[in-house]
Amino acid sequence: MYGNFFSSAHSTSIDSLIGDRAVLDALNAATTREALVAIEEPIMAVRKASWWASGGSTSAVPARPRRYRIGTTGNARKVSDIFLDLLARFLVKNPECSFFYHSCRSAGYRKDLETRLVSRGVDIEQLELFILGQIEYAAGVSAMDAAIDAFPCNGHLSTTEYLSHGTPIWTLRGDRLTQRYGAMILNYIGLDENVFTDGADLIDDLARRLVVKTPASAAALA
């Protein structure tokens, strides 16, 4: 079973698909061999029952080292060189901002990610990198002021999780379906001003509009 991934309905390795009603209605109208099971509640309404949100916490979110703190919707497999280039350009231009990432799959991956960012000119003191499970997922998302969507494969469930915790997301819209998930979600909730087709424009806009998250700003988005 594979849930909430719009592009997975035609995979031969999937027996059933659980997803949004609008998506499933469209898939039911198409030719598909999978069993499509609809759920009536929005995914954000049941997010607290997710594996991420219910995972155990081994340490609290540390105090931020810089004025601002950003993250990403991408899991370890989505942190591509293209995304790291974009992230590094932003961090180098904005030294008052740190990158908070608590989804490193191992100590070795954490070290490799650190090396890849530092080699791109990022100050090591801007990096807050933690192994998956070290910090409770929802608490970490809540501690971020904003996030840059993963590219070229955008976030899916993680995007709704971030928005549910009042964390705004900036995304690049690409040519393929997997590069447009972020734009689809943000456009749907009226945040089309956070959608870009050029990385330089995204960086400039994020730097201009990035603010420290407050309870009021988080509530307005969630």
Side-chain angles (χ1 to χ4, degrees):
M1 184 177 69
Y2 209 52
N4 202 46
F5 280 66
F6 306 154
S7 64
S8 59
H10 300 285
S11 170
T12 57
S13 63
I14 297 171
D15 298 313
S16 62
L17 177 70
I18 299 175
D20 181 86
R21 167 67 72 178
V23 175
L24 294 181
D25 285 346
L27 292 176
N28 275 320
T31 301
T32 179
R33 293 176 296 174
E34 282 74 23
L36 305 179
V37 181
I39 55 176
E40 299 304 324
E41 291 184 274
I43 191 66
M44 285 188 284
V46 296
R47 63 179 171 78
K48 290 185 178 179
S50 71
W51 179 82
W52 287 109
S54 61
S57 170
T58 58
S59 61
V61 177
R64 56 178 66 199
R66 303 292 169 100
R67 181 180 181 184
Y68 304 108
R69 171 185 272 161
I70 65 169
T72 181
T73 60
N75 59 38
R77 296 185 182 277
K78 294 183 180 180
V79 180
S80 66
D81 284 333
I82 298 174
F83 169 77
L84 289 182
D85 288 341
L86 181 68
L87 173 65
R89 285 161 57 194
F90 177 81
L91 292 174
V92 169
K93 291 183 64 175
N94 298 275
E96 290 189 67
C97 185
S98 66
F99 174 61
F100 181 90
Y101 190 68
H102 57 319
S103 297
C104 295
R105 55 193 176 199
S106 66
Y109 179 86
R110 178 191 181 282
K111 182 62 179 177
D112 177 68
L113 183 57
E114 177 184 281
T115 300
R116 292 161 72 189
L117 285 168
V118 170
S119 69
R120 288 168 165 82
V122 178
D123 184 345
I124 194 171
E125 298 298 325
Q126 290 177 271
L127 302 179
E128 304 179 85
L129 309 178
F130 302 91
I131 298 172
L132 186 65
Q134 185 176 353
I135 292 177
E136 200 270 325
Y137 180 76
V141 171
S142 296
M144 299 177 198
D145 298 316
I148 299 177
D149 200 5
F151 194 85
C153 294
N154 294 167
H156 301 82
L157 177 57
S158 57
T159 299
T160 61
E161 295 272 7
Y162 276 54
L163 294 170
S164 295
H165 286 84
T167 302
I169 298 168
W170 273 252
T171 190
L172 279 178
R173 175 171 44 211
D175 298 327
R176 300 183 180 183
L177 178 61
T178 54
Q179 300 170 4
R180 298 198 300 269
Y181 289 137
M184 291 162 59
I185 295 172
L186 293 178
N187 286 334
Y188 180 77
I189 64 173
L191 288 179
D192 50 292
E193 68 269 24
N194 288 25
V195 179
F196 295 86
T197 57
D198 181 81
D201 291 339
L202 184 152
I203 290 173
D204 290 343
D205 187 79
L206 177 56
R208 180 175 58 85
R209 294 199 287 132
L210 179 62
V211 296
V212 174
K213 184 197 291 184
T214 64
S217 67
L221 183 59

